[in-house]
């Protein structure tokens, strides 16, 4: 049905609240980069309107730190647009602080806790190789 795949990969040792928080942040980055995946408003039988959501499902995967590092490098090597969340961002409280702490790290020393991408299915599968379905 879709030529592309949205994949979110989370570090497999996160607390539940962290996994949910990171997933929400990462998906917001995908939607910002690819606004065409947003559908129409939802309307219930009584005519109440609700926000539109992504028309494309996202797969949520899990991986250990080493595998996340490999996936991160594959994203960079292929030039695929992505969202990235690093461990140090848990200690911040707003976007400017997130970007500030993010800028202190490079791919070789970033403690990645989650990343997301949208790419052609075949490419997404190759990039996320080694990650498993999130439990």
């Amino acid at each position: 049905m879709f030529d592309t795949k949205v994949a979110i990969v989370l570090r497999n040792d996160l607390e539940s609240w962290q996994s949910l928080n990171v997933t929400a942040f990462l998906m917001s980055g995908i939607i910002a980069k690819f606004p065409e995946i947003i559908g129409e408003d939802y309307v219930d039988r009584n005519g109440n309107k609700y926000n539109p959501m992504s028309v494309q499902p996202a797969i949520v995967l899990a991986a250990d730190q080493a595998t996340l590092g490999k996936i991160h490098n594959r994203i960079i090597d292929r030039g695929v647009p992505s969202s990235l969340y690093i461990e140090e961002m848990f200690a911040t409280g707003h976007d400017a602080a997130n970007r500030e702490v993010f800028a202190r790290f490079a791919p070789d020393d970033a403690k990645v806790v989650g990343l997301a991408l949208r790419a052609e299915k075949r490419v997404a599968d190759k990039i996320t190789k080694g990650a498993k379905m999130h439990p």
Side-chain angles (χ1 to χ4, degrees):
M1 184 169 183
F2 296 99
D3 295 335
T4 60
K5 180 184 267 188
V6 175
I8 298 169
V9 186
L10 304 173
R11 198 172 71 196
N12 62 5
D13 64 349
L14 298 178
E15 297 289 330
S16 293
W17 73 267
Q18 291 173 317
S19 292
L20 294 169
N21 182 272
V22 171
T23 299
F25 272 102
L26 293 172
M27 191 64 190
S28 72
I30 296 298
I31 290 169
K33 186 69 174 177
F34 303 100
E36 67 273 15
I37 70 172
I38 296 301
E40 300 294 323
D41 286 346
Y42 281 70
V43 182
D44 69 18
R45 186 177 67 222
N46 292 344
N48 298 304
K49 286 190 178 183
Y50 301 88
N51 293 336
M53 293 186 271
S54 175
V55 299
Q56 184 171 7
I59 186 170
V60 181
L61 306 167
D64 60 23
Q65 187 73 63
T67 303
L68 265 174
K70 290 176 187 174
I71 293 168
H72 184 199
N73 286 328
R74 290 180 200 140
I75 285 171
I76 293 169
D77 291 346
R78 287 173 173 82
V80 172
S82 63
S83 303
L84 189 73
Y85 200 101
I86 62 171
E87 189 171 292
E88 290 76 11
M89 291 165 67
F90 286 129
T92 65
H94 54 86
D95 184 56
N98 281 345
R99 285 184 282 109
E100 182 182 324
V101 74
F102 190 93
R104 295 181 195 155
F105 296 90
D108 61 335
D109 64 354
K111 292 181 218 144
V112 178
V113 296
L115 50 81
L117 63 113
R118 180 177 185 240
E120 183 182 309
K121 283 182 182 180
R122 181 182 56 77
V123 172
D125 289 341
K126 286 182 179 181
I127 288 173
T128 59
K129 183 180 177 185
K132 308 291 184 209
M133 288 299 292
H134 193 281

